[in-house]
Amino acid sequence: MRVTQMLIPTLREVPAEADTISHQLLLRSGMVRKVAAGIYTLLPLGNRVVKKIENIVREEMDRAGGVELQLPIVQPAELWRQSGRWDVYGPEMYRLQDRHGRDFCLGPTHEEIITSLFSQEVNSYRQLPLLLYQIHNKYRDERRPRFGLLRGREFIMKDLYSFDKDEESLEISYRKMYDAYNRIFSRCSLDFRAVEADSGAIGGDVSHEFMVIADTGEDAINFCSECDYAANMEKTPCHIHEKELVEEEGPLELVATPEARTVQDVASDLQVNTEQVLKSLFYNVDGKLVVVLVRGDRLVNETKVINYLGANRLDTADSEEMLNNFGIPMGFAGPVGLREKTAVTILGDLEVKCLFNAVAGANKTGYHYINVNPQRDYQVDHYGDFRVAEEGDPCPCCGAPLQVQRGIEVGHIFKLGTKYSEAMGATILDEHGKEIPVIMGCYGIGVTRTMAAAVEQSNDENGIIWPAAISPFDVLIMAVNQRDELQAEFALNLYQKLKRAGIDVLYDDRQERPGVKFKDADLIGYPVRIVIGKKAISEGLVELKWRATGELIFKEKDKIIAYLQENLTAMKSSKR
RNA sequence: CAGGGUGUAGCUCAGUUUGGUAGAGCGCUAGCAUGGGGAGCUAGAGGCCGCGGGUUCAAGUCCCGCCACUCUGACCA
């Protein structure tokens, strides 16, 4: 391919809309353009990257026994009503009607469609296990799209669904996918980590996320400094040693704390540590008021709260409503006497159970209580693990201190069990002729997000540094002076030779100054750049430069193909 | 959804305070020159100043409403 035949609109300046590195570089290098918030056109170069990632995914899915098909984007509401998710999914789902007024949605995911297909077409355990997948667009009307391709409203995803007759078989399918995902992200040369995860609203129990390590990642992950434990922060359980009351319980006392609305303020006003403060957070959980008590220096883990309550939806309570409806002033709220104000579920984090002589809001603006003690001064409905794990907390497996990193979720695998097959009547006959719901798993990879994650992880001040396996082209070739006939002919000739040898090469045949072409090559980030200059004409020595290392070498023309084939192959198969 | 910011040429941004003929750099077109890191010179093209209303002799600028983009938070198989 020649640059003059392509559309590669590089930008010298950073578009004002882009904040994250990957967003900036993908725009500047002419890979993508924004059409609306969270919706992007893939330009020719970006499209080539996506296709390369898709092909790696496809090869590994096929190798693991997956079978590719294609499911529709426009899906009838009827199927979503069967699974019960039409009403649960919320405003994130794009909904539309056809001319007859029938409800449809743009598929945010495809469990319903695939389960429906399965229920119609598969009847016997003899046809299992079955691993069906597609690589297709997904649509989610994110409340807040951001970070360019990292969180879009339209994006490309590979989703595979496994169907098995029993748990043992599901375990095998799950393991195959787990291994395939490790191979895929290794082949993409990404620095990643598989972590235990919460399965969220999709249901099921066992779940792993594949996280590309990046400081800009939206998720925090914990991993153990000693053992293999690694988990999403929201999943990591917190263990504590229960303390006995060492001091005497002091008398409950009301103290004035004007203007002290935050834990920090209260602690400094009253000369105590923040961990001596009882923090009370109010939530609206499926329409009911719930308060969660944690130590002042901790964060509430809302996922754990949702899971404990078996809830669908959790929002922080509105402070005006709290004050107007119940007379509870946020900032001065606490568990003492709370039930007299309104019916409320009170949950306490395990640490709070042994928090004696604490400070807590008095439910009266400008006042706190001191010497607040559990049992004596307030009761909770349930003590449990409701806080977010922190760096240095003990590992739940071995007790060594946990470390924290940030990551970008590029893959997520779930054991679904029978949630969808039961709801939608996807049953099979087992060996005994008994009708049983098929056991499912689902396994997603964000393809466009993987592209962005790769850029996020691999760049320098000059631009992108593509891993060879997913670069839009392996090699860029150019002449220093395109108007010099000898150079141009040399470059064209070499370009054609490389192409015939099966090397993925792009020829920058523009009549631009060399500086422009150098800048573009660095910005776009081809792994190898070949420059035809005076030395090539006079001595037959061709310059090759590796983008990642900056290594510059000169090779005789005839030895280039062998050199490239050897080194590019090595680069593509090397793990990071 | 709440709170902040920004909308002026393809891109980055001045101009808005104090109303009075629409600006710069880069990019683009034509030409000159140059050819190892977005260099230079000459001449051009390019604007519903986000949209709608209002005030005024006069609005990019003042007032009201809306929209889009964006940041923080909440949310997120």
Side-chain angles (χ1 to χ4, degrees), chain A residues 177-202:
Chain A
M177 285 299 119
Y178 186 91
D179 293 341
Y181 275 41
N182 276 303
R183 282 198 298 270
I184 288 166
F185 297 121
S186 293
R187 284 182 62 184
C188 292
S189 303
L190 293 166
D191 178 19
F192 71 99
R193 202 180 264 277
V195 306
E196 290 179 22
D198 187 79
S199 48
I202 195 167

mmCIF file of all heavy atoms in Angstrom, chain A residues 177-202:
data_model
loop_
_atom_site.group_PDB
_atom_site.id
_atom_site.type_symbol
_atom_site.label_atom_id
_atom_site.label_comp_id
_atom_site.label_asym_id
_atom_site.label_seq_id
_atom_site.Cartn_x
_atom_site.Cartn_y
_atom_site.Cartn_z
ATOM 1 N N MET A 177 -11.167 -20.884 28.023
ATOM 2 C CA MET A 177 -11.238 -19.464 27.737
ATOM 3 C C MET A 177 -10.191 -18.688 28.526
ATOM 4 O O MET A 177 -9.542 -17.788 28.000
ATOM 5 C CB MET A 177 -12.644 -18.924 28.057
ATOM 6 C CG MET A 177 -13.692 -19.313 27.035
ATOM 7 S SD MET A 177 -13.283 -18.654 25.392
ATOM 8 C CE MET A 177 -13.138 -20.161 24.462
ATOM 9 N N TYR A 178 -10.040 -19.053 29.776
ATOM 10 C CA TYR A 178 -9.044 -18.388 30.616
ATOM 11 C C TYR A 178 -7.667 -18.491 29.962
ATOM 12 O O TYR A 178 -6.937 -17.508 29.859
ATOM 13 C CB TYR A 178 -9.037 -19.037 31.999
ATOM 14 C CG TYR A 178 -8.154 -18.369 33.013
ATOM 15 C CD1 TYR A 178 -8.639 -17.370 33.845
ATOM 16 C CD2 TYR A 178 -6.807 -18.747 33.141
ATOM 17 C CE1 TYR A 178 -7.820 -16.756 34.780
ATOM 18 C CE2 TYR A 178 -5.984 -18.140 34.062
ATOM 19 C CZ TYR A 178 -6.487 -17.141 34.887
ATOM 20 O OH TYR A 178 -5.673 -16.539 35.795
ATOM 21 N N ASP A 179 -7.348 -19.679 29.494
ATOM 22 C CA ASP A 179 -6.044 -19.880 28.845
ATOM 23 C C ASP A 179 -5.966 -19.132 27.521
ATOM 24 O O ASP A 179 -4.948 -18.531 27.182
ATOM 25 C CB ASP A 179 -5.796 -21.375 28.613
ATOM 26 C CG ASP A 179 -5.630 -22.118 29.931
ATOM 27 O OD1 ASP A 179 -5.355 -21.463 30.952
ATOM 28 O OD2 ASP A 179 -5.803 -23.354 29.939
ATOM 29 N N ALA A 180 -7.051 -19.168 26.754
ATOM 30 C CA ALA A 180 -7.064 -18.479 25.458
ATOM 31 C C ALA A 180 -6.873 -16.977 25.663
ATOM 32 O O ALA A 180 -6.147 -16.322 24.904
ATOM 33 C CB ALA A 180 -8.379 -18.748 24.733
ATOM 34 N N TYR A 181 -7.504 -16.426 26.697
ATOM 35 C CA TYR A 181 -7.368 -14.991 26.955
ATOM 36 C C TYR A 181 -5.929 -14.643 27.297
ATOM 37 O O TYR A 181 -5.402 -13.623 26.861
ATOM 38 C CB TYR A 181 -8.311 -14.562 28.099
ATOM 39 C CG TYR A 181 -9.710 -14.241 27.627
ATOM 40 C CD1 TYR A 181 -10.342 -15.011 26.664
ATOM 41 C CD2 TYR A 181 -10.397 -13.130 28.130
ATOM 42 C CE1 TYR A 181 -11.611 -14.712 26.230
ATOM 43 C CE2 TYR A 181 -11.671 -12.823 27.693
ATOM 44 C CZ TYR A 181 -12.276 -13.614 26.750
ATOM 45 O OH TYR A 181 -13.533 -13.308 26.312
ATOM 46 N N ASN A 182 -5.295 -15.509 28.081
ATOM 47 C CA ASN A 182 -3.892 -15.252 28.391
ATOM 48 C C ASN A 182 -3.040 -15.251 27.127
ATOM 49 O O ASN A 182 -2.154 -14.414 26.970
ATOM 50 C CB ASN A 182 -3.370 -16.297 29.380
ATOM 51 C CG ASN A 182 -3.706 -15.929 30.816
ATOM 52 O OD1 ASN A 182 -3.345 -14.856 31.281
ATOM 53 N ND2 ASN A 182 -4.419 -16.799 31.500
ATOM 54 N N ARG A 183 -3.344 -16.179 26.224
ATOM 55 C CA ARG A 183 -2.570 -16.211 24.974
ATOM 56 C C ARG A 183 -2.836 -14.973 24.136
ATOM 57 O O ARG A 183 -1.920 -14.398 23.552
ATOM 58 C CB ARG A 183 -2.919 -17.472 24.179
ATOM 59 C CG ARG A 183 -2.249 -18.739 24.715
ATOM 60 C CD ARG A 183 -2.265 -19.847 23.676
ATOM 61 N NE ARG A 183 -3.626 -20.224 23.326
ATOM 62 C CZ ARG A 183 -4.314 -21.177 23.955
ATOM 63 N NH1 ARG A 183 -3.763 -21.845 24.946
ATOM 64 N NH2 ARG A 183 -5.533 -21.459 23.580
ATOM 65 N N ILE A 184 -4.093 -14.570 24.059
ATOM 66 C CA ILE A 184 -4.449 -13.420 23.222
ATOM 67 C C ILE A 184 -3.729 -12.155 23.674
ATOM 68 O O ILE A 184 -3.078 -11.469 22.883
ATOM 69 C CB ILE A 184 -5.976 -13.186 23.248
ATOM 70 C CG1 ILE A 184 -6.685 -14.273 22.454
ATOM 71 C CG2 ILE A 184 -6.328 -11.804 22.694
ATOM 72 C CD1 ILE A 184 -8.190 -14.330 22.688
ATOM 73 N N PHE A 185 -3.813 -11.866 24.969
ATOM 74 C CA PHE A 185 -3.222 -10.604 25.425
ATOM 75 C C PHE A 185 -1.698 -10.685 25.430
ATOM 76 O O PHE A 185 -1.030 -9.666 25.270
ATOM 77 C CB PHE A 185 -3.801 -10.204 26.784
ATOM 78 C CG PHE A 185 -5.279 -9.941 26.712
ATOM 79 C CD1 PHE A 185 -6.182 -10.665 27.475
ATOM 80 C CD2 PHE A 185 -5.776 -8.980 25.838
ATOM 81 C CE1 PHE A 185 -7.552 -10.420 27.385
ATOM 82 C CE2 PHE A 185 -7.137 -8.729 25.734
ATOM 83 C CZ PHE A 185 -8.023 -9.455 26.508
ATOM 84 N N SER A 186 -1.157 -11.890 25.583
ATOM 85 C CA SER A 186 0.290 -12.045 25.437
ATOM 86 C C SER A 186 0.701 -11.788 24.001
ATOM 87 O O SER A 186 1.684 -11.098 23.738
ATOM 88 C CB SER A 186 0.724 -13.460 25.828
ATOM 89 O OG SER A 186 0.528 -13.672 27.196
ATOM 90 N N ARG A 187 -0.080 -12.329 23.063
ATOM 91 C CA ARG A 187 0.256 -12.127 21.649
ATOM 92 C C ARG A 187 0.164 -10.654 21.265
ATOM 93 O O ARG A 187 0.840 -10.207 20.343
ATOM 94 C CB ARG A 187 -0.671 -12.961 20.761
ATOM 95 C CG ARG A 187 -0.325 -14.439 20.754
ATOM 96 C CD ARG A 187 -1.225 -15.224 19.821
ATOM 97 N NE ARG A 187 -1.106 -14.795 18.422
ATOM 98 C CZ ARG A 187 -1.844 -15.284 17.432
ATOM 99 N NH1 ARG A 187 -2.756 -16.224 17.691
ATOM 100 N NH2 ARG A 187 -1.686 -14.862 16.199
ATOM 101 N N CYS A 188 -0.698 -9.917 21.944
ATOM 102 C CA CYS A 188 -0.790 -8.478 21.683
ATOM 103 C C CYS A 188 0.305 -7.701 22.416
ATOM 104 O O CYS A 188 0.316 -6.474 22.404
ATOM 105 C CB CYS A 188 -2.162 -7.947 22.112
ATOM 106 S SG CYS A 188 -3.523 -8.557 21.108
ATOM 107 N N SER A 189 1.211 -8.429 23.070
ATOM 108 C CA SER A 189 2.331 -7.825 23.806
ATOM 109 C C SER A 189 1.874 -6.850 24.876
ATOM 110 O O SER A 189 2.497 -5.806 25.088
ATOM 111 C CB SER A 189 3.295 -7.104 22.855
ATOM 112 O OG SER A 189 3.766 -7.989 21.888
ATOM 113 N N LEU A 190 0.771 -7.161 25.528
ATOM 114 C CA LEU A 190 0.281 -6.275 26.572
ATOM 115 C C LEU A 190 0.775 -6.731 27.940
ATOM 116 O O LEU A 190 0.938 -7.926 28.186
ATOM 117 C CB LEU A 190 -1.251 -6.266 26.571
ATOM 118 C CG LEU A 190 -1.880 -5.633 25.332
ATOM 119 C CD1 LEU A 190 -3.356 -5.961 25.257
ATOM 120 C CD2 LEU A 190 -1.664 -4.134 25.346
ATOM 121 N N ASP A 191 1.039 -5.783 28.805
ATOM 122 C CA ASP A 191 1.349 -6.077 30.202
ATOM 123 C C ASP A 191 0.012 -6.151 30.927
ATOM 124 O O ASP A 191 -0.637 -5.136 31.142
ATOM 125 C CB ASP A 191 2.220 -4.956 30.774
ATOM 126 C CG ASP A 191 2.530 -5.170 32.242
ATOM 127 O OD1 ASP A 191 2.385 -6.313 32.718
ATOM 128 O OD2 ASP A 191 2.902 -4.196 32.908
ATOM 129 N N PHE A 192 -0.411 -7.361 31.266
ATOM 130 C CA PHE A 192 -1.756 -7.528 31.797
ATOM 131 C C PHE A 192 -1.748 -8.492 32.971
ATOM 132 O O PHE A 192 -0.745 -9.148 33.245
ATOM 133 C CB PHE A 192 -2.705 -8.042 30.707
ATOM 134 C CG PHE A 192 -2.450 -9.478 30.337
ATOM 135 C CD1 PHE A 192 -3.232 -10.494 30.874
ATOM 136 C CD2 PHE A 192 -1.425 -9.810 29.485
ATOM 137 C CE1 PHE A 192 -2.990 -11.823 30.544
ATOM 138 C CE2 PHE A 192 -1.168 -11.131 29.154
ATOM 139 C CZ PHE A 192 -1.951 -12.143 29.684
ATOM 140 N N ARG A 193 -2.900 -8.593 33.618
ATOM 141 C CA ARG A 193 -3.022 -9.462 34.769
ATOM 142 C C ARG A 193 -4.456 -9.961 34.832
ATOM 143 O O ARG A 193 -5.387 -9.181 34.635
ATOM 144 C CB ARG A 193 -2.721 -8.631 36.011
ATOM 145 C CG ARG A 193 -2.299 -9.385 37.205
ATOM 146 C CD ARG A 193 -2.064 -8.388 38.308
ATOM 147 N NE ARG A 193 -0.662 -7.999 38.441
ATOM 148 C CZ ARG A 193 0.229 -8.711 39.110
ATOM 149 N NH1 ARG A 193 -0.108 -9.841 39.665
ATOM 150 N NH2 ARG A 193 1.470 -8.288 39.231
ATOM 151 N N ALA A 194 -4.623 -11.238 35.074
ATOM 152 C CA ALA A 194 -5.970 -11.782 35.275
ATOM 153 C C ALA A 194 -6.295 -11.681 36.754
ATOM 154 O O ALA A 194 -5.492 -12.073 37.596
ATOM 155 C CB ALA A 194 -6.018 -13.239 34.832
ATOM 156 N N VAL A 195 -7.449 -11.132 37.079
ATOM 157 C CA VAL A 195 -7.810 -10.938 38.482
ATOM 158 C C VAL A 195 -9.207 -11.476 38.761
ATOM 159 O O VAL A 195 -10.059 -11.497 37.875
ATOM 160 C CB VAL A 195 -7.754 -9.446 38.890
ATOM 161 C CG1 VAL A 195 -6.404 -8.850 38.569
ATOM 162 C CG2 VAL A 195 -8.858 -8.648 38.217
ATOM 163 N N GLU A 196 -9.427 -11.897 39.987
ATOM 164 C CA GLU A 196 -10.774 -12.296 40.396
ATOM 165 C C GLU A 196 -11.652 -11.065 40.410
ATOM 166 O O GLU A 196 -11.215 -9.985 40.787
ATOM 167 C CB GLU A 196 -10.737 -12.912 41.803
ATOM 168 C CG GLU A 196 -10.076 -14.263 41.846
ATOM 169 C CD GLU A 196 -10.049 -14.816 43.273
ATOM 170 O OE1 GLU A 196 -10.869 -14.381 44.097
ATOM 171 O OE2 GLU A 196 -9.184 -15.670 43.534
ATOM 172 N N ALA A 197 -12.894 -11.249 39.998
ATOM 173 C CA ALA A 197 -13.754 -10.080 39.846
ATOM 174 C C ALA A 197 -15.144 -10.366 40.358
ATOM 175 O O ALA A 197 -15.550 -11.512 40.532
ATOM 176 C CB ALA A 197 -13.811 -9.670 38.382
ATOM 177 N N ASP A 198 -15.881 -9.279 40.542
ATOM 178 C CA ASP A 198 -17.295 -9.395 40.890
ATOM 179 C C ASP A 198 -18.059 -9.612 39.596
ATOM 180 O O ASP A 198 -17.739 -9.029 38.569
ATOM 181 C CB ASP A 198 -17.759 -8.108 41.563
ATOM 182 C CG ASP A 198 -19.172 -8.242 42.084
ATOM 183 O OD1 ASP A 198 -19.341 -8.846 43.148
ATOM 184 O OD2 ASP A 198 -20.094 -7.766 41.416
ATOM 185 N N SER A 199 -19.080 -10.448 39.651
ATOM 186 C CA SER A 199 -19.773 -10.738 38.401
ATOM 187 C C SER A 199 -20.896 -9.748 38.115
ATOM 188 O O SER A 199 -21.438 -9.729 37.025
ATOM 189 C CB SER A 199 -20.319 -12.163 38.416
ATOM 190 O OG SER A 199 -21.000 -12.399 39.612
ATOM 191 N N GLY A 200 -21.231 -8.905 39.085
ATOM 192 C CA GLY A 200 -22.162 -7.815 38.829
ATOM 193 C C GLY A 200 -23.538 -8.284 38.409
ATOM 194 O O GLY A 200 -23.973 -9.384 38.733
ATOM 195 N N ALA A 201 -24.219 -7.432 37.674
ATOM 196 C CA ALA A 201 -25.628 -7.655 37.358
ATOM 197 C C ALA A 201 -25.852 -8.802 36.382
ATOM 198 O O ALA A 201 -26.958 -9.282 36.222
ATOM 199 C CB ALA A 201 -26.232 -6.380 36.796
ATOM 200 N N ILE A 202 -24.788 -9.234 35.710
ATOM 201 C CA ILE A 202 -24.985 -10.295 34.723
ATOM 202 C C ILE A 202 -25.294 -11.619 35.416
ATOM 203 O O ILE A 202 -25.851 -12.532 34.829
ATOM 204 C CB ILE A 202 -23.753 -10.426 33.813
ATOM 205 C CG1 ILE A 202 -24.102 -11.262 32.576
ATOM 206 C CG2 ILE A 202 -22.582 -11.011 34.561
ATOM 207 C CD1 ILE A 202 -23.078 -11.201 31.501
#
